[in-house]
Amino acid sequence: MNPLSAGEDVILLDSKGREYLVTLKEGQAFSTHRGMLPHDLIIGREEGTVVTTERGDEYTAFRPTFNQFVLNLKRTAQIIYPKDIGPILLWADIHPGAFVVEGGAGWGALTIALLRAIGEKGRLVTYEIREDFAKKAEENVRRFLGDAPNHELRRGDIYEGITEREVDRIILDLPEPWRAVTHAASSLRSGGILLAYLPTIIQVRELCEAVRNLKTFTEPEVFEVSHRPWNVKGRSVRPVSWVFSHSAFIIVTRKTLLPEYRNIDDE
Ligand code: SAH
């Protein structure tokens, strides 16, 4: 038994599959176009409970998954969508205990996913240049994960330098990541991974050239992820007609041992 309590977020799912992210508060109500839904009907009940509005509409209450939380947040910044976050975690090989540096906090969607993947023994430093985004990301991390003592939100410009050393993974979601590749090369340990997320192929080319010029990284791998949701209902068994067709490219490269330390046994 782990009943839903006041102060917690829930997802209210209606009969058409629409989702609403609501923070439960005693004495308050969620207003729908078909009547009010008092939070007190949900507080104290188990996840998955079905509650009914005054006019008989049913809503199911769940604790939000990560996808439901980020997709239903009211936001003003572009986030990385879950369909890209999954592959980012795997292609950057984010593992429990990893030391990770992130560039650009934004709304904190990727930050939350990174913190979950590195676990309590990992460490994450996120650079963010804008105070409003830094605050919002911290607020969203706290809202979804609670206290995260292994996370530091560093107010600063990552193009000016990365002070951390022997970092396992660096993830950049900002407009000009090529301005941070030299810093990434000094900050990553040999064998460390640099991953960037960029919306246009012109930016991808600029980044790939900067990476190659350093002669410290492996040939970058570039791809995008397509996700095609389907409708499966009655005779309508086909891809949904509106498809989100492009978000951004993912670029991954790995730091090699610097040339002066290579083949040291042969000399
Ligand atoms: N990955 C985030 C979205 C990041 S949006 C998410 O999933 O929610 C890009 C962010 O990078 C913005 O918040 C912007 O303020 C920040 N940014 C841009 N240039 C920066 C720089 N030079 N140093 C640090 N942060 C920067």
Side-chain angles (χ1 to χ4, degrees):
M1 282 280 281
N2 183 11
L4 298 165
S5 56
E8 266 195 275
D9 283 325
V10 288
I11 280 289
L12 296 178
L13 185 69
D14 74 9
S15 56
K16 295 216 167 81
R18 284 177 300 220
E19 297 176 341
Y20 305 87
L21 181 67
V22 173
T23 307
L24 294 176
K25 292 193 187 105
E26 278 159 10
Q28 292 217 352
F30 170 67
S31 83
T32 76
H33 57 284
R34 303 223 336 129
M36 303 296 268
L37 194 68
H39 292 189
D40 292 335
L41 289 181
I42 304 167
I43 295 170
R45 307 275 289 271
E46 285 289 301
E47 255 192 283
T49 193
V50 179
V51 282
T52 313
T53 64
E54 295 154 341
R55 291 202 231 158
D57 280 4
E58 288 189 339
Y59 285 81
T60 313
F62 292 105
R63 291 194 171 89
T65 61
F66 169 77
N67 279 10
Q68 289 173 324
F69 179 72
V70 301
L71 293 176
N72 290 287
L73 271 182
K74 288 198 184 71
R75 50 182 191 261
T76 54
Q78 187 60 260
I79 59 161
I80 300 189
Y81 285 98
K83 67 133 182 126
D84 290 322
I85 290 185
I88 286 173
L89 295 177
L90 292 185
W91 260 259
D93 193 43
I94 307 294
H95 55 83
F99 179 17
V100 182
V101 167
E102 180 190 21
W107 228 229
L110 181 64
T111 309
I112 294 171
L114 289 171
L115 284 167
R116 276 185 141 187
I118 63 175
E120 283 172 12
K121 295 208 168 109
R123 183 177 161 210
L124 175 66
V125 178
T126 306
Y127 284 71
E128 173 55 56
I129 203 166
R130 281 180 52 173
E131 180 55 28
D132 53 344
F133 284 135
K135 271 209 183 107
K136 195 71 206 175
E138 280 176 330
E139 184 187 313
N140 287 335
V141 166
R142 193 166 315 110
R143 183 167 166 192
F144 192 74
L145 293 178
D147 281 342
N150 56 344
H151 181 221
E152 182 186 342
L153 220 151
R154 179 86 50 84
R155 272 80 171 157
D157 183 347
I158 204 167
Y159 302 153
E160 289 189 347
I162 301 174
T163 52
E164 290 67 32
R165 288 294 175 268
E166 291 294 299
V167 169
D168 297 313
R169 310 295 184 234
I170 297 183
I171 316 289
L172 301 174
D173 177 20
L174 24 79
E176 298 177 290
W178 48 90
R179 294 175 62 189
V181 288
T182 314
H183 310 317
S186 326
S187 170
L188 281 171
R189 65 169 170 83
S190 185
I193 295 174
L194 170 66
L195 183 147
Y197 187 69
L198 284 170
T200 78
I201 201 71
I202 304 281
Q203 290 166 298
V204 173
R205 192 176 63 176
E206 185 138 10
L207 177 64
C208 288
E209 281 169 9
V211 163
R212 280 183 202 118
N213 287 341
L214 276 182
K215 302 193 187 338
T216 316
F217 286 102
T218 59
E219 178 58 20
E221 179 184 353
V222 179
F223 63 97
E224 59 183 316
V225 177
S226 57
H227 165 85
R228 196 152 75 124
W230 282 59
N231 250 331
V232 181
K233 206 165 197 183
R235 292 168 69 96
S236 165
V237 182
R238 55 175 176 78
V240 299
S241 8
W242 184 84
V243 174
F244 189 79
S245 63
H246 177 72
S247 51
F249 300 95
I250 294 172
I251 306 92
V252 197
T253 181
R254 195 152 194 204
K255 191 181 156 189
T256 62
L257 203 54
L258 294 174
E260 56 267 38
Y261 300 113
R262 286 178 203 159
N263 303 323
I264 211 147
D265 297 338
D266 306 342
E267 282 161 18

